[in-house]
């Protein structure tokens, strides 16, 4: 696949490494510009590019930036794109967002509202970068870490679940974007490296 990654921090950088190693055509960008990504590009073979280049050329775009930066993304650029939301809302970093503080909106619904026209799927937000880098296992391996995948578009979700499996994790259907609060910080599945049954149990046990 042609995959664009917005953000080169812990999760964005890890996905750049992993997806490039699997043979995907990866382009990566960040807020500091392509020249700041020379080392990552040399290490991985990914292309350092501008935001516009990364999104326009991609079949799938991963957004892995501070949530507070999402409203600055040019929404029209993402129209019709499959967007993987790997973000979390952290008030201490992102500031007070009323509808996220009281959980009347999931953070992915909030993101989708800003990127109207995009097909948003939530995953990679509940796993630590080190595990994402090193703990992928072949399908069928006992204790294989599972990742919840939430979204409203069935085809988009199926594509993302396939990518999760390819990375070495069991994808678990976590419902719609409105239900994706069940995989946000301070829920049973956040940062806990559960297997598929454990993720299903954790999603069901989550409370607002």
């Amino acid at each position: 696949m042609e995959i664009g990654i917005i953000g080169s921090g812990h999760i964005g950088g890890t996905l750049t490494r992993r997806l490039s190693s699997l043979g995907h055509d990866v382009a990566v960008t960040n807020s500091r510009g392509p020249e700041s990504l020379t080392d990552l590009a040399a290490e991985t073979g990914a292309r350092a590019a501008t935001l516009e280049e990364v999104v326009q050329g991609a079949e799938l775009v991963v957004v892995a930036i501070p949530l507070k930066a999402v409203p600055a993304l040019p929404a029209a650029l993402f129209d019709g794109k499959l967007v993987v939301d790997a973000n979390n809302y952290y008030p201490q970093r992102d500031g007070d967002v009323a509808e996220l503080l009281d959980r009347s909106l999931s953070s992915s619904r909030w993101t989708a509202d800003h990127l109207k026209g995009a097909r948003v799927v939530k995953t990679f937000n509940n796993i630590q970068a080190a595990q994402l880098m090193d703990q992928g296992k072949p399908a069928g391996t006992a204790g294989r870490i599972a990742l919840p995948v939430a979204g409203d578009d069935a085809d988009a979700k199926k594509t993302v679940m396939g990518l999760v499996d390819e990375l070495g994790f069991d994808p678990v259907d976590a419902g719609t974007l409105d239900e994706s609060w069940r995989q946000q910080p301070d829920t049973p599945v956040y940062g806990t490296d559960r297997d598929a049954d454990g993720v299903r149990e954790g999603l069901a046990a989550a409370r607002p």
Side-chain angles (χ1 to χ4, degrees), residues 1-7 12 15-16 19-20 24-30 37 40-41 44-58 60-62:
M1 293 180 70
E2 293 187 2
I3 296 176
I5 298 180
I6 302 172
L15 286 171
T16 299
L19 293 169
S20 295
H24 294 284
D25 182 5
V26 178
V28 59
T29 192
N30 65 13
L37 296 167
L40 182 61
T44 63
R47 291 176 291 110
T50 65
L51 174 66
E52 289 74 16
E53 290 167 342
V54 162
V55 177
Q56 287 171 352
L60 178 151
V61 181
V62 178

Side-chain angles (χ1 to χ4, degrees), residues 1-178:
M1 293 180 70
E2 293 187 2
I3 296 176
I5 298 180
I6 302 172
S8 59
H10 294 305
I11 296 297
T14 297
L15 286 171
T16 299
R17 293 177 175 90
R18 290 292 323 278
L19 293 169
S20 295
S21 73
L22 291 170
H24 294 284
D25 182 5
V26 178
V28 59
T29 192
N30 65 13
S31 61
R32 299 183 300 281
E35 63 279 358
S36 70
L37 296 167
T38 303
D39 290 345
L40 182 61
E43 174 194 343
T44 63
R47 291 176 291 110
T50 65
L51 174 66
E52 289 74 16
E53 290 167 342
V54 162
V55 177
Q56 287 171 352
E59 300 168 68
L60 178 151
V61 181
V62 178
V63 177
I65 58 178
L67 181 135
K68 65 183 178 182
V70 167
L73 296 174
L77 189 63
F78 295 82
D79 188 35
K81 292 290 183 179
L82 197 174
V83 173
V84 174
D85 174 19
N87 293 346
N88 286 306
Y89 173 53
Y90 300 112
Q92 64 273 26
R93 180 196 65 188
D94 300 312
D96 291 348
V97 180
E99 58 266 44
L100 299 182
L101 280 171
D102 67 12
R103 295 202 178 191
S104 58
L105 274 186
S106 69
S107 65
S108 283
R109 176 62 66 198
W110 185 88
T111 294
D113 285 347
H114 283 285
L115 301 180
K116 288 193 182 300
R119 297 179 296 147
V120 176
V121 177
K122 178 80 160 189
T123 196
F124 302 128
N125 72 297
N126 75 308
I127 187 170
Q128 296 180 20
Q131 277 83 345
L132 185 58
M133 188 70 199
D134 298 329
Q135 296 301 312
K137 300 287 191 287
T141 301
R144 192 188 199 208
I145 295 173
L147 301 182
V149 182
D152 299 337
D153 184 302
D155 289 338
K157 192 190 293 189
K158 181 178 179 180
T159 297
V160 174
M161 291 177 82
L163 196 64
V164 168
D165 183 53
E166 187 182 357
L167 285 162
F169 304 92
D170 279 339
V172 171
D173 191 329
T176 66
L177 287 184
D178 288 329

